[in-house]
Amino acid sequence: MRDIPGTWRRVAAGAGLIGPDGSAAPTIFAEMSDLAARTGAVNLGQGFPDEDGPAEVLEAARAAIAKGVNQYPPGRGIPSLRTAISEHQQRFYSLTVDPDCDVVVTAGATEAIAASLLALIDGPDDEVVVFEPYYDSYAACVALAGARLVAVPLRWPDFQPDLDALRAAVTDRTRVILVNDPHNPTGAVFSSEVRAEVVRLAERHDAVIVEDEVYEHLVFDEPHVPLATVPGAWERTLSISSAGKTFSVTGWKIGWVSGPAALVDAVLAVKQFLTYANGAPFQPAVATGLALPDAFFASIAASLRHKRDVLGAGLQSAGFAVSHPQGSYFTVVDAAALGATDAADFCRTLPERAGVVAIPLTAFVTPAHKSEYATLVRFAACKRIEVIDEAARRLQSLR
Ligand SMILES: Cc1ncc(COP(=O)(O)O)c(C=O)c1O
């Protein structure tokens, strides 16, 4: 494999995944999931829920298959889903989105991110500014698009960016400011000052904002505020979300991008040659989900908040220093007090020591910055409460 020329090398290197022999290494997520399967450890590594989402959404997918909704849907997405996305943006954020021109349905948020970056990057001098640590596809997609990644650090324990560092990172070379809020892996929700500064800098340097909002309904204190709602932002912002997290259907891979028609058309121009179309019977089901009453959306946030609290208390009494996530599936801890000096090594031995799997934060940073996150570890709270209780009980053996 290492002798095969091609873009794979740049992508793997961008994601920090070139092994010592020059071949592409598997991600630490795969390694940790294998470890969980082999050892029978409680898997709080990868972020996927272990129970089904709303019955009416699942039933709508079954009904669609039974009714023969099994062929290619329109490349932009079926009209009823685009309308549901538009109504959702209006209902929760007072954003007016034209379902015919301002929306495209994608194969999960992952394709939306890839298609947006491939659409907007124009050459090797273009830069994409991200907050670090970042969702692992960002660095890989920036590399795939042939641009440069510019990272603004988020520091333990509140993981808000330093505004001077943000100002220094955004220049006339910045093509895209890629923001994930609520944030994976840290659980941070960015302050209104950060939002305002992102928009101000994007305007000043004529950059496009791409916001990944897949955890938009999983916030614990204040309602989510999209960057697209900040005055002046809409015309330069692509908003990305996905059904996976909101409806606990991560395997369906139905995502979407919304924004001004010209930017959305650019994304569609790329998406149509990545997958053309996706998930025909899941699209009407997601439309059903997006139309669920407000009480549903409030209940998923309340349930995850409770899980965050139970997990946080368990982690604290096991001896970790615990951050206070305001959203997303995740809680970050500092394992230094438990003797950790290398988070990856700590996570590799955790199944044996305590029967639990977690992910080192170093999986979400560029290799050169790993030392700054060397003792931080991410635990997923999106599991059944008895699973979190059991993990918390097992972790007490670390004391
Ligand atoms: C921040 C973030 N963006 C995107 C995704 C991927 O979303 P999807 O499964 O819809 O492709 C994830 C999944 O973990 C995520 O955490």
Side-chain angles (χ1 to χ4, degrees):
M1 177 71 178
R2 66 179 173 276
D3 298 328
I4 297 176
T7 307
W8 71 269
R9 195 187 303 276
R10 199 171 70 213
V11 173
L17 294 174
I18 292 287
D21 67 349
S23 62
T27 67
I28 193 135
F29 303 97
E31 183 186 339
M32 290 299 153
S33 291
D34 278 358
L35 202 56
R38 263 192 288 121
T39 59
V42 177
N43 190 354
L44 302 188
Q46 223 177 346
F48 60 87
D50 59 355
E51 54 193 336
D52 278 336
E56 51 273 66
V57 174
L58 304 182
E59 188 45 44
R62 279 191 284 267
I65 292 174
K67 269 195 299 191
V69 185
N70 299 308
Q71 309 309 327
Y72 296 128
R76 226 181 232 284
I78 61 169
S80 66
L81 176 53
R82 285 187 275 114
T83 299
I85 292 165
S86 161
E87 288 171 357
H88 170 276
Q89 296 302 89
Q90 187 70 51
R91 166 157 62 136
F92 289 100
Y93 310 126
S94 302
L95 284 170
T96 301
V97 171
D98 182 337
D100 294 329
C101 341
D102 298 345
V103 184
V104 59
V105 174
T106 55
T110 304
E111 189 193 37
I113 294 159
S116 299
L117 292 176
L118 287 166
L120 296 171
I121 297 306
D122 203 23
D125 294 332
D126 284 353
E127 294 183 347
V128 178
V129 172
V130 298
F131 294 132
E132 182 177 56
Y134 43 74
Y135 178 56
D136 62 336
S137 88
Y138 295 1
C141 287
V142 169
L144 180 61
R148 269 202 302 266
L149 186 84
V150 176
V152 177
L154 303 176
R155 303 256 187 243
W156 167 271
D158 70 346
F159 298 110
Q160 295 292 320
D162 174 67
L163 293 184
D164 286 333
L166 179 59
R167 282 179 208 118
V170 181
T171 70
D172 289 346
R173 287 186 303 278
T174 306
R175 186 76 186 107
V176 173
I177 306 176
L178 173 54
V179 179
N180 168 216
D181 183 17
H183 187 257
N184 174 13
T186 67
V189 164
F190 298 120
S191 67
S192 56
E193 289 76 24
V194 173
R195 284 194 295 273
E197 196 57 24
V198 167
V199 174
R200 201 183 65 75
L201 290 167
E203 278 175 334
R204 168 169 323 159
H205 297 284
D206 197 22
V208 177
I209 298 166
V210 176
E211 186 170 36
D212 173 349
E213 302 172 85
V214 298
Y215 299 103
E216 61 186 322
H217 290 294
L218 301 175
V219 284
F220 311 134
D221 303 319
E222 305 288 326
H224 171 62
V225 182
L227 278 165
T229 63
V230 175
W234 163 262
E235 50 272 25
R236 57 175 67 251
T237 302
L238 286 168
S239 303
I240 292 175
S241 195
S242 164
K245 318 292 176 185
T246 302
F247 304 114
S248 296
V249 290
T250 58
W252 285 10
K253 300 298 280 190
I254 302 291
W256 52 90
V257 185
S258 62
L263 284 177
V264 168
D265 280 351
V267 177
L268 179 61
V270 174
K271 181 248 156 42
Q272 67 193 338
F273 297 112
L274 293 176
T275 54
Y276 172 56
N278 58 285
F282 301 129
Q283 292 198 21
V286 172
T288 301
L290 288 171
L292 287 172
D294 292 355
F296 163 76
F297 295 91
S299 75
I300 56 171
S303 157
L304 192 62
R305 183 193 167 113
H306 175 59
K307 292 174 180 184
R308 172 204 66 177
D309 291 345
V310 172
L311 177 64
L315 291 165
Q316 193 144 25
S317 69
F320 293 104
V322 185
S323 72
H324 186 69
Q326 297 155 286
S328 88
Y329 281 167
F330 306 107
T331 296
V332 172
V333 301
D334 189 340
L338 291 169
T341 52
D342 178 317
D345 287 346
F346 180 83
C347 288
R348 286 190 180 100
T349 56
L350 197 57
E352 200 181 305
R353 288 176 66 194
V356 175
V357 161
I359 302 285
L361 234 63
T362 46
F364 306 92
V365 305
T366 22
H369 301 161
K370 281 191 178 181
S371 62
E372 291 164 47
Y373 299 89
T375 58
L376 302 183
V377 174
R378 187 194 81 172
F379 288 84
C382 53
K383 307 293 175 183
R384 280 169 293 132
I385 197 73
E386 56 271 29
V387 172
I388 293 173
D389 277 338
E390 174 61 14
R393 192 189 62 72
R394 291 181 182 200
L395 287 165
Q396 305 314 306
S397 65
L398 293 172
R399 291 205 74 99

